[in-house]
Amino acid sequence: MANAADYERWGPPGARYQPALRSSWSPGWILLTVAGFIVWWPIGLALLFYTLWSRNMGCWDRDRFAGKMERMQWKMERMRNRMDRGGFGFGPPTSGNRAFDEYRMETLRRLEEEQVQFKEFLDRLRHAKDKEEFDAFMAQHRTKPNPSPDNSAQG
Protein backbone atom coordinates (compact mmCIF):
# COMPACT_ATOMS: atom_id res chain seq x y z
CA MET A 1 0.00 0.00 0.00
CA ALA A 2 1.51 3.30 -1.07
CA ASN A 3 1.59 6.30 1.18
CA ALA A 4 0.33 9.47 -0.49
CA ALA A 5 2.89 11.56 1.42
CA ASP A 6 5.75 9.59 -0.17
CA TYR A 7 4.40 9.80 -3.72
CA GLU A 8 7.11 12.28 -4.75
CA ARG A 9 9.67 10.29 -2.78
CA TRP A 10 12.53 10.11 -5.23
CA GLY A 11 12.92 13.76 -6.06
CA PRO A 12 11.40 17.19 -5.89
CA PRO A 13 7.97 17.54 -7.43
CA GLY A 14 8.16 17.84 -11.19
CA ALA A 15 11.73 16.54 -11.45
CA ARG A 16 12.03 13.89 -14.10
CA TYR A 17 14.98 12.12 -15.67
CA GLN A 18 15.92 13.84 -18.90
CA PRO A 19 18.49 12.13 -21.09
CA ALA A 20 21.06 14.13 -23.00
CA LEU A 21 19.55 15.98 -25.91
CA ARG A 22 21.94 14.61 -28.50
CA SER A 23 24.43 11.80 -28.23
CA SER A 24 27.66 11.86 -30.23
CA TRP A 25 27.67 8.09 -30.49
CA SER A 26 25.38 7.60 -33.46
CA PRO A 27 26.05 4.63 -35.80
CA GLY A 28 27.08 6.98 -38.61
CA TRP A 29 29.57 8.80 -36.41
CA ILE A 30 31.08 5.50 -35.23
CA LEU A 31 31.46 4.31 -38.85
CA LEU A 32 33.05 7.62 -39.80
CA THR A 33 35.56 7.30 -36.93
CA VAL A 34 36.42 3.70 -37.87
CA ALA A 35 36.82 4.75 -41.52
CA GLY A 36 39.09 7.57 -40.37
CA PHE A 37 41.32 5.03 -38.63
CA ILE A 38 41.36 2.83 -41.72
CA VAL A 39 42.23 5.68 -44.13
CA TRP A 40 44.79 7.47 -41.98
CA TRP A 41 45.07 6.91 -38.22
CA PRO A 42 45.45 10.62 -37.21
CA ILE A 43 42.05 11.36 -38.77
CA GLY A 44 40.43 8.56 -36.77
CA LEU A 45 42.20 9.71 -33.62
CA ALA A 46 41.08 13.30 -34.17
CA LEU A 47 37.47 12.18 -34.69
CA LEU A 48 37.64 10.02 -31.56
CA PHE A 49 39.02 12.88 -29.46
CA TYR A 50 36.43 15.25 -30.87
CA THR A 51 33.70 12.79 -29.93
CA LEU A 52 35.03 12.23 -26.42
CA TRP A 53 35.70 15.85 -25.57
CA SER A 54 32.83 17.51 -27.36
CA ARG A 55 30.19 19.24 -25.26
CA ASN A 56 27.54 16.96 -26.72
CA MET A 57 28.54 14.13 -24.41
CA GLY A 58 26.18 13.51 -21.50
CA CYS A 59 28.93 13.79 -18.91
CA TRP A 60 29.58 17.42 -19.86
CA ASP A 61 25.99 18.50 -19.26
CA ARG A 62 26.08 21.35 -16.75
CA ASP A 63 22.38 21.10 -15.97
CA ARG A 64 22.90 17.52 -14.85
CA PHE A 65 25.03 18.57 -11.89
CA ALA A 66 22.70 21.43 -11.02
CA GLY A 67 19.81 18.96 -10.99
CA LYS A 68 21.75 16.57 -8.76
CA MET A 69 22.56 19.36 -6.33
CA GLU A 70 18.92 20.46 -6.30
CA ARG A 71 17.75 16.91 -5.57
CA MET A 72 20.36 16.52 -2.83
CA GLN A 73 19.28 19.81 -1.23
CA TRP A 74 15.64 18.70 -1.39
CA LYS A 75 16.49 15.38 0.29
CA MET A 76 18.46 17.14 3.03
CA GLU A 77 15.53 19.45 3.72
CA ARG A 78 13.20 16.46 3.88
CA MET A 79 15.52 14.67 6.32
CA ARG A 80 15.88 17.80 8.46
CA ASN A 81 12.10 18.12 8.66
CA ARG A 82 11.77 14.47 9.70
CA MET A 83 14.43 14.87 12.37
CA ASP A 84 12.70 17.97 13.72
CA ARG A 85 9.51 15.94 14.04
CA GLY A 86 11.39 13.21 15.90
CA GLY A 87 11.48 10.70 13.08
CA PHE A 88 14.25 8.21 12.18
CA GLY A 89 14.86 7.62 15.89
CA PHE A 90 17.03 10.76 16.14
CA GLY A 91 14.57 12.88 18.08
CA PRO A 92 13.49 12.20 21.62
CA PRO A 93 11.01 9.33 21.60
CA THR A 94 7.62 10.13 23.03
CA SER A 95 5.71 7.82 25.33
CA GLY A 96 2.39 9.52 24.70
CA ASN A 97 2.32 10.87 28.26
CA ARG A 98 3.41 14.50 28.24
CA ALA A 99 4.08 14.70 32.00
CA PHE A 100 6.34 11.63 31.85
CA ASP A 101 8.17 13.00 28.80
CA GLU A 102 8.86 16.29 30.64
CA TYR A 103 10.06 14.37 33.73
CA ARG A 104 12.35 12.20 31.58
CA MET A 105 13.81 15.23 29.76
CA GLU A 106 14.44 17.02 33.08
CA THR A 107 16.08 13.91 34.55
CA LEU A 108 18.31 13.48 31.47
CA ARG A 109 19.31 17.16 31.63
CA ARG A 110 20.14 16.83 35.34
CA LEU A 111 22.20 13.66 34.72
CA GLU A 112 24.16 15.41 31.97
CA GLU A 113 24.94 18.29 34.36
CA GLU A 114 26.04 15.82 37.04
CA GLN A 115 28.24 14.06 34.50
CA VAL A 116 29.96 17.33 33.62
CA GLN A 117 30.44 18.14 37.31
CA PHE A 118 31.87 14.66 37.97
CA LYS A 119 34.34 15.02 35.10
CA GLU A 120 35.44 18.38 36.50
CA PHE A 121 35.86 16.78 39.95
CA LEU A 122 38.01 14.00 38.46
CA ASP A 123 40.16 16.59 36.68
CA ARG A 124 40.67 18.50 39.93
CA LEU A 125 41.48 15.24 41.75
CA ARG A 126 44.06 14.27 39.10
CA HIS A 127 45.58 17.75 39.24
CA ALA A 128 45.84 17.55 43.05
CA LYS A 129 47.46 14.10 42.86
CA ASP A 130 49.92 15.29 40.22
CA LYS A 131 50.77 18.36 42.32
CA GLU A 132 51.32 16.20 45.39
CA GLU A 133 53.64 13.86 43.49
CA PHE A 134 55.53 16.80 42.02
CA ASP A 135 55.92 18.46 45.43
CA ALA A 136 57.20 15.18 46.92
CA PHE A 137 59.69 14.86 44.05
CA MET A 138 60.93 18.41 44.52
CA ALA A 139 61.24 17.96 48.30
CA GLN A 140 63.25 14.77 47.79
CA HIS A 141 65.69 16.48 45.44
CA ARG A 142 66.09 19.56 47.63
CA THR A 143 67.30 17.54 50.62
CA LYS A 144 70.12 15.79 48.72
CA PRO A 145 73.44 17.61 49.08
CA ASN A 146 74.81 18.72 45.78
CA PRO A 147 78.49 17.95 45.35
CA SER A 148 80.35 21.17 44.78
CA PRO A 149 82.73 21.35 41.83
CA ASP A 150 85.55 22.42 44.18
CA ASN A 151 85.38 19.19 46.24
CA SER A 152 85.41 16.93 43.20
CA ALA A 153 88.39 18.73 41.69
CA GLN A 154 90.47 18.31 44.90
CA GLY A 155 89.77 14.56 45.35
Side-chain angles (χ1 to χ4, degrees):
M1 180 174 190
N3 186 355
D6 287 337
Y7 183 71
E8 295 289 344
R9 179 177 194 169
W10 303 111
R16 299 283 184 257
Y17 173 73
Q18 296 177 350
L21 296 175
R22 195 173 73 208
S23 175
S24 295
W25 294 107
S26 65
W29 191 259
I30 293 172
L31 288 175
L32 184 65
T33 305
V34 170
F37 274 109
I38 291 172
V39 172
W40 192 46
W41 67 268
I43 293 174
L45 195 61
L47 290 172
L48 181 65
F49 282 137
Y50 175 76
T51 304
L52 290 177
W53 277 280
S54 69
R55 298 295 179 194
N56 295 332
M57 295 293 291
C59 60
W60 297 103
D61 187 15
R62 292 183 187 140
D63 294 334
R64 176 178 159 214
F65 294 111
K68 283 189 177 203
M69 290 303 293
E70 184 180 325
R71 281 193 309 274
M72 187 183 305
Q73 185 67 31
W74 180 80
K75 288 178 183 178
M76 292 299 291
E77 289 293 326
R78 188 180 65 171
M79 185 181 293
R80 185 177 298 124
N81 290 336
R82 283 188 180 178
M83 287 192 321
D84 288 343
R85 290 190 316 247
F88 290 135
F90 292 114
T94 60
S95 65
N97 186 337
R98 187 173 171 192
F100 175 74
D101 290 340
E102 289 174 359
Y103 166 76
R104 181 180 54 201
M105 292 303 293
E106 178 62 29
T107 303
L108 290 174
R109 186 193 57 77
R110 182 179 49 81
L111 287 173
E112 287 174 357
E113 288 177 3
E114 288 178 5
Q115 181 182 14
V116 169
Q117 291 173 356
F118 184 70
K119 284 183 180 180
E120 290 172 355
F121 169 74
L122 287 178
D123 287 341
R124 288 193 309 268
L125 192 63
R126 286 185 192 113
H127 179 69
K129 182 181 176 189
D130 290 345
K131 184 169 175 32
E132 179 183 332
E133 289 176 359
F134 179 73
D135 290 342
F137 174 78
M138 291 304 291
Q140 181 184 7
H141 284 295
R142 281 190 206 132
T143 57
K144 287 186 179 179
N146 291 336
S148 64
D150 296 334
N151 293 342
S152 63
Q154 294 174 0

